[in-house]
């Protein structure tokens, strides 16, 4: 496995061409792939880009390019970065371990796991007058179809509610993922942060990954840059949130992607369930989450929700992806069926999506990933 860290530059016009014409480089062409990352990073004005590549279920390439903070300290393969919502896919893999062991049934209502009704818990008291919560299953939570807003604080009254009939359609909801964590902790008596460390991070050698802040991360940490070029410090995540609290490195995420590609830790049945279509996605875009606008072309690629990931049929077979975005972070995991190949891209920029589609193509070739669905907020690619 090759590991690299460097800097470079090129122009905006080249970025425009690369979106449709970027070549795919074999892992053996690591210098060419390094140069392509540098070219795109500079043209897209992204301070730092880290990439890991998996082939045949094995991690074969890890690189980190650019800077991690306003001082210009280099981004390295062991720099701790936000996973953002790629946390959801990581958590989903752990969920499938519980399913594999018979501790959790994806289609059994969550009410059967909890020792008392959900609204009896203070965090979910807002649902007391809506009996539809009893219909919610783990599959609905993990496929973003329970009917929740993305987060309750987005509602004018900041209260949690159910927007539509649970299980009827896809609407991205961090609330649902966090509720799945709550059910596991309250119903199964498991500490999700500790369990993910024990069952995923430690066995896979993900030594610089945690669902909660660790003081030893401070020495090599990535700050983030917003779309206006303003740097924001990496904050300390003081509590475990399955929807997005994972701190990690590109080297560690490469190991996790290899596990996902190879099916490590899961039976063949459970691995298939993780990445199979559980619910068709009809929405024209992932965001805004509650939009009712639909795109019939989604069916042409079999766009659907898997367990914590989005699945689609591409030119390289059944594939899945999971993005992670906030104001200072833009990440992407894409795995294709052909050759059990994956790429993970972590950036410390709120506009990494300017270059992520081209980077994925450079690493894997044409995947058929639904970029227009994923990136409805994609900044205009104009000089």
């Amino acid at each position: 496995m090759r590991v690299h860290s460097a800097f470079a530059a090129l122009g905006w016009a080249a970025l425009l061409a690369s979106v449709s014409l970027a070549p795919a480089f074999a892992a053996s062409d690591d210098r060419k792939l390094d140069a392509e990352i540098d070219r795109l990073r500079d043209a897209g004005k992204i301070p730092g880009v880290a990439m890991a590549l998996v082939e045949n279920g094995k991690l074969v390439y890890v690189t980190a390019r650019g800077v991690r903070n306003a001082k210009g300290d280099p981004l390295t393969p062991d720099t701790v970065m936000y996973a953002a919502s790629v946390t959801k896919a990581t958590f989903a893999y752990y969920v499938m371990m519980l399913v594999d062991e018979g501790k959790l049934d994806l289609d059994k209502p969550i009410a059967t796991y909890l020792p008392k009704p959900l609204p009896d818990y203070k965090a979910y008291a807002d649902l007391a007058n809506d009996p539809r919560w009893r219909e919610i299953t783990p599959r609905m939570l993990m496929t973003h179809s329970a009917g929740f807003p993305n987060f309750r604080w987005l509602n004018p009254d900041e209260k949690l509610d159910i927007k539509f009939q649970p299980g009827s359609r896809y609407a991205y909801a961090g609330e649902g993922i966090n509720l799945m964590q709550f059910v596991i902790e309250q119903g199964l008596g498991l500490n999700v942060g500790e369990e993910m460390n024990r069952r995923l991070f430690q066995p896979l050698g993900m030594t610089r990954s945690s669902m909660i802040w660790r003081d030893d991360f401070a020495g090599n940490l990535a700050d983030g840059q917003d779309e206006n070029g303003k740097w924001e410090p990496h904050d300390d995540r003081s509590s475990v949130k399955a929807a997005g609290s994972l701190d990690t490195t590109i080297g560690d995420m490469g190991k996790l992607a290899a596990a996902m590609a190879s099916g490590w830790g899961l039976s063949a049945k459970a691995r298939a369930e993780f990445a199979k279509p559980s619910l068709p996605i009809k929405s024209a875009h992932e965001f805004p989450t509650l939009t009712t606008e639909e795109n019939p072309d989604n069916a042409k690629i079999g766009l659907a929700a898997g367990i914590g990931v989005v699945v689609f049929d591409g030119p390289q077979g059944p594939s899945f992806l999971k993005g992670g975005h906030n104001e200072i972070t833009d990440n992407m995991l894409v795995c294709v069926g052909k050759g059990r190949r994956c790429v993970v891209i972590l950036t410390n920029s709120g506009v990494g999506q300017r270059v992520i589609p081209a980077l994925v193509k450079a690493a894997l070739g044409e995947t058929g990933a639904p970029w227009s669905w994923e990136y409805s907020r994609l900044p205009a690619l104009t000089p």
Side-chain angles (χ1 to χ4, degrees):
M1 182 183 72
R2 289 163 294 283
V3 181
H4 309 274
S5 180
F7 305 86
L10 249 185
W12 187 266
L15 173 65
L16 299 178
S18 70
V19 171
S20 59
L21 301 177
F25 301 111
S28 58
D29 296 329
D30 53 287
R31 291 183 181 178
K32 293 181 179 179
L33 188 50
D34 283 350
E36 183 73 351
I37 295 169
D38 286 337
R39 182 176 76 84
L40 291 166
R41 182 184 63 79
D42 185 74
K45 304 186 187 308
I46 311 300
V49 172
M51 179 187 286
L53 184 60
V54 172
E55 292 190 350
N56 197 28
K58 296 181 180 180
L59 182 61
V60 296
Y61 168 91
V62 176
T63 195
R65 325 289 292 177
V67 299
R68 62 183 178 90
N69 54 31
K71 294 188 297 182
D73 291 330
L75 186 72
T76 67
D78 62 350
T79 296
V80 171
M81 306 177 73
Y82 292 130
S85 286
V86 178
T87 305
K88 294 178 175 68
T90 309
F91 172 67
Y93 208 76
Y94 162 67
V95 167
M96 290 311 304
M97 289 180 164
L98 299 179
V99 172
D100 218 7
E101 295 165 352
K103 295 178 180 177
L104 196 65
D105 186 325
L106 289 174
D107 299 306
K108 192 174 182 179
I110 61 171
T112 62
Y113 293 100
L114 294 170
K116 58 184 180 180
L118 183 63
D120 286 0
Y121 296 93
K122 182 178 180 180
Y124 293 96
D126 295 341
L127 301 178
N129 295 320
D130 193 336
R132 290 180 296 178
W133 73 265
R134 293 184 176 276
E135 302 174 32
I136 295 173
T137 65
R139 189 184 301 275
M140 293 176 192
L141 297 176
M142 298 307 297
T143 58
H144 301 278
S145 59
F148 294 132
N150 192 5
F151 290 105
R152 65 187 74 190
W153 49 262
L154 294 171
N155 283 330
D157 60 5
E158 298 190 0
K159 292 184 178 181
L160 181 62
D161 61 345
I162 299 174
K163 302 289 189 180
F164 54 83
Q165 182 62 32
S168 63
R169 67 184 180 91
Y170 180 99
Y172 192 82
E175 285 285 354
I177 301 298
N178 286 337
L179 176 53
M180 187 72 258
Q181 174 190 342
F182 184 84
V183 171
I184 291 170
E185 293 182 335
Q186 298 295 320
L188 302 184
L190 299 172
N191 183 303
V192 166
E194 293 177 1
E195 285 294 290
M196 288 180 66
N197 183 55
R198 182 180 70 85
R199 304 199 58 175
L200 281 176
F201 305 153
Q202 290 184 5
L204 290 173
M206 297 171 64
T207 59
R208 287 177 63 76
S209 294
S210 176
M211 292 291 286
I212 195 168
W213 172 257
R214 286 180 7 202
D215 288 342
D216 62 297
F217 289 164
N220 189 355
L221 192 67
D223 295 332
Q225 194 178 85
D226 68 17
E227 62 181 337
N228 297 313
K230 180 183 177 182
W231 285 94
E232 298 287 347
H234 189 116
D235 63 355
D236 304 351
R237 305 300 174 91
S238 59
S239 62
V240 174
K241 296 293 183 184
S245 70
L246 176 62
D247 274 324
T248 190
T249 70
I250 191 59
D252 281 4
M253 285 307 297
K255 293 172 183 177
L256 179 65
M260 290 179 173
S262 66
W264 174 91
L266 295 179
S267 67
K269 180 181 179 181
R271 170 57 178 77
E273 187 74 39
F274 169 70
K276 84 172 189 181
S278 279
L279 178 77
I281 294 176
K282 299 180 180 180
S283 59
H285 303 289
E286 186 169 28
F287 296 97
T289 62
L290 295 168
T291 181
T292 57
E293 180 187 1
E294 296 186 358
N295 183 356
D297 289 340
N298 289 359
K300 295 178 182 178
I301 61 169
L303 190 65
I307 304 302
V309 294
V310 171
V311 303
F312 61 97
D313 295 324
Q316 300 187 57
S319 306
F320 66 86
L321 62 77
K322 183 68 192 81
H325 329 286
N326 61 31
E327 290 81 3
I328 58 172
T329 303
D330 219 335
N331 303 329
M332 182 57 60
L333 163 69
V334 179
C335 293
V336 297
K338 183 179 180 181
R340 295 187 299 171
R341 305 171 70 222
C342 300
V343 64
V344 185
I345 300 165
L346 304 180
T347 80
N348 58 343
S349 168
V351 291
Q353 58 197 272
R354 287 174 177 167
V355 299
I356 283 174
L359 288 169
V360 170
K361 187 171 183 178
L364 297 179
E366 183 55 62
T367 63
W371 299 125
S372 63
W373 177 83
E374 176 76 19
Y375 289 140
S376 56
R377 300 170 298 155
L378 181 67
L381 293 176
T382 54

